[in-house]
Amino acid sequence: MTDDTDVSARTIGTRIQELRTIRGFSLSELGRRAHVSAPQLSRIERGQRYATPGVVASVARALGVGEAVLRGQPYITMLQKDRLDAMLAPISSALDSWDLPPDGEPPPRPLEVLEAETARIVRLRVRTEFAAIAEELPGLIVESALLTQLHGRSGRNQERAYSVQAEVARTAAIVAYRMGYMDLSRLALSRMAVAAPQSGDKRHVAVERYERAQITHAEGSRPDRAVALMRLALRDLDDDGERATRAVRGTLQLRAAMMAAKQCDASGLADWLGQAGELAAVTGETNDYAMAFGPLNVALNEMAAASSQDDHVRALEHAARVRLPQGYPPTRAAGFWIGKAKSEVWTARLDDALVSLRKAKQEAPQLTRYHPEVHETVGTLLRARGKAPDPLREFARWSGV
């Protein structure tokens, strides 16, 4: 079995286990419904056996979801309802024409205009306005590709053009990732990986590796590879004393910390968090490359690390000390409330958990609606109640659980 197949098996198995838990099915019950033996299902969930297409289809029917959910495109039915999937298709087409000659295409707008447009799109991204981004992104992808061809092979303008292209590709990757389209996200990041080194900014290269590690981390297949990406990015991004560089390095260290927590590496977790904390004390709160870094983000990651280790009491102790400032990036704010809700559920604070989920929805509705952890938490809340109160049932309907 190839490594890629092994990763795919583990990823599908993880999703089967999560949905089985949400549905309240034992292995035997799911096996009966799907006409698959419980031992076989157990091996698939643990990543020890490949899930054939027939098994995937049968299990998906038994769980009441589409096959795409198990294959890594969660909640695709809701995406279709919101017509976001139709908006993402042109992004894929634009990425496919990344390096084609400009035959028949109108000339791109001036470099300064596209830099301003890219900055505006990034602001939309931070506010999680994915529908607005998806409408404009295909044209911007094509324009950025033409821009790099227009500005030749050297010079500062050429580097600026590649910076635009790298950030546009990154935006496409983030939007696709948030909507559960992992293959499209990887395609966009492959484009960013080509553009970033030609931007003259080593921080762009580090950011691409950060985003790539995020996908690996989310899929839960090879956390060691994700840590290796962070080590490589830190090795190639020397500390030049600039605040932006230190902020990016600190963000990389926080990502490595979360991966160490996933691997149950307590020593590595403490080491990475310690390094990030030292940098945060120097940089203060920053938002370079649309990556919020500083003492607050270190605190948020300490909370997330405790939660990932199932120490939900300690996670809530960290959460109690967090004060989100006005104007904090909505994605980060929503992530805080989603994580807090999870820990509240596991400590039987059910009413508080629903309050936190609703705060996440207020901060970033689209992110919250499609977030797998939200669905898991809502499912747990529903099972914990003999009769679900109206606010919970309304939230469950809204989020598609």
Side-chain angles (χ1 to χ4, degrees), residues 98-99 162 165-166 169 188-199 208:
W98 184 264
D99 55 354
Y162 275 110
Q165 193 178 39
L189 285 179
S190 72
R191 303 300 190 241
M192 184 182 181
V194 173
Q198 300 182 74
S199 69
E208 183 275 327

Side-chain angles (χ1 to χ4, degrees), residues 40-334:
Q40 182 179 353
L41 276 175
S42 178
R43 289 193 292 273
I44 289 171
E45 287 187 356
R46 297 198 306 270
Q48 296 175 349
R49 178 163 182 164
Y50 176 73
T52 66
V55 168
V56 172
S58 183
V59 171
R61 286 193 297 272
L63 291 169
V65 299
E67 291 180 45
V69 173
L70 299 184
R71 296 190 183 280
Q73 294 183 331
Y75 321 117
I76 195 168
T77 301
M78 292 194 323
L79 288 173
Q80 290 170 339
K81 182 178 178 180
D82 287 349
R83 294 195 281 185
L84 284 169
D85 58 330
M87 294 179 183
L88 290 173
I91 295 175
S92 177
S93 178
L95 289 169
D96 283 337
S97 62
W98 184 264
D99 55 354
L100 294 181
D103 299 337
E105 293 285 352
R109 288 169 288 177
L111 175 58
E112 294 79 7
V113 173
L114 285 185
E115 285 177 327
E117 280 296 290
T118 301
R120 182 179 65 82
I121 289 292
V122 169
R123 290 193 294 272
L124 290 177
R125 188 183 80 206
V126 170
R127 297 200 299 268
T128 71
E129 297 183 24
F130 298 145
I133 294 171
E135 289 182 354
E136 299 186 46
L137 203 51
L140 196 54
I141 290 171
V142 173
E143 275 194 288
S144 69
L146 296 176
L147 192 69
T148 58
Q149 298 180 43
L150 180 66
H151 284 286
R153 300 183 178 279
S154 63
R156 180 58 192 143
N157 282 350
Q158 187 236 25
E159 291 179 341
R160 290 167 60 194
Y162 275 110
S163 291
V164 167
Q165 193 178 39
E167 194 60 57
V168 167
R170 179 189 176 199
T171 297
I174 290 173
V175 171
Y177 168 78
R178 293 296 186 187
M179 295 297 99
Y181 283 65
M182 297 302 187
D183 289 344
L184 179 56
S185 185
R186 288 189 182 280
L187 173 62
L189 285 179
S190 72
R191 303 300 190 241
M192 184 182 181
V194 173
Q198 300 182 74
S199 69
D201 185 349
K202 289 185 176 180
R203 292 180 290 239
H204 274 308
V205 177
V207 169
E208 183 275 327
R209 288 167 174 165
Y210 170 88
E211 301 292 359
R212 189 163 19 126
Q214 170 77 351
I215 296 177
T216 303
H217 176 71
E219 290 181 336
S221 53
R222 289 292 301 271
D224 57 323
R225 285 185 174 178
V227 172
L229 272 172
M230 295 302 88
R231 293 188 186 280
L232 179 64
L234 286 164
R235 186 200 70 188
D236 292 345
L237 183 64
D238 294 329
D239 186 349
D240 56 11
E242 293 188 19
R243 191 179 79 157
T245 300
R246 288 178 169 174
V248 172
R249 285 180 58 85
T251 303
L252 296 171
Q253 289 163 350
L254 288 178
R255 174 61 62 213
M258 294 308 301
M259 293 161 189
K262 192 176 186 70
Q263 293 177 287
C264 299
D265 178 4
S267 175
L269 170 62
D271 185 46
W272 288 116
L273 283 175
Q275 292 182 55
E278 291 174 3
L279 278 179
V282 174
T283 64
E285 299 297 340
T286 70
N287 195 35
D288 298 290
Y289 299 85
M291 301 168 78
F293 175 75
L296 175 55
N297 201 19
V298 173
L300 293 177
N301 276 266
E302 289 172 339
M303 168 189 157
S307 176
S308 72
Q309 296 175 311
D310 293 327
D311 191 345
H312 296 289
V313 172
R314 185 159 60 93
L316 290 177
E317 289 173 354
H318 285 299
R321 294 192 289 269
V322 169
R323 296 293 180 271
L324 298 178
Q326 190 73 24
Y328 196 63
T331 53
R332 297 298 179 94

